Amino acid sequence: MDDVAPDRAVMIRLRARLAVVERAAWFGLVHAMRTRPAETEAYLAAERAKCAEGFGQRGWAADLTDAERAMLGAEVDAGLAALITDAKAEAQA
């Protein structure tokens, strides 16, 4: 690890932790889609609605500007929509 700068090493370790959490969450989501697809999809749809409201009207992420919060909300919504599609496909594989 001598070739990696200390500040870059911190960033790389954080990225690795995020990747581990993402893979664990992915496993759980696919399992849920295989065992209880309707309930899982309904839950994710409800979460999308909560996020749309929270980033829109209720003002989650209050440290961001309105435009930044709208962008964040759109990214979260697109990510959740993609998760539903991808998890359904994976569960059927």
Side-chain angles (χ1 to χ4, degrees):
M1 297 281 180
D2 293 334
D3 295 340
V4 179
D7 60 329
R8 298 283 294 167
V10 169
M11 185 263 315
I12 291 167
R13 286 186 185 102
L14 289 173
R15 283 179 80 171
R17 287 181 185 176
L18 181 57
V20 169
V21 170
E22 286 176 345
R23 294 311 303 165
W26 178 248
F27 172 81
L29 178 57
V30 171
H31 178 72
M33 287 299 269
R34 287 183 177 142
T35 58
R36 300 184 77 175
E39 294 90 342
T40 302
E41 195 166 348
Y43 174 79
L44 289 173
E47 286 302 306
R48 285 180 73 188
K50 285 180 194 175
C51 288
E53 180 183 348
F55 289 118
Q57 300 166 353
R58 290 198 325 215
W60 290 355
D63 60 317
L64 301 178
T65 67
D66 288 344
E68 291 168 339
R69 198 169 42 258
M71 179 182 176
L72 177 60
E75 288 293 319
V76 168
D77 187 63
L80 287 172
L83 273 178
I84 294 169
T85 300
D86 294 347
K88 284 170 77 172
E90 183 72 22
Q92 295 171 355

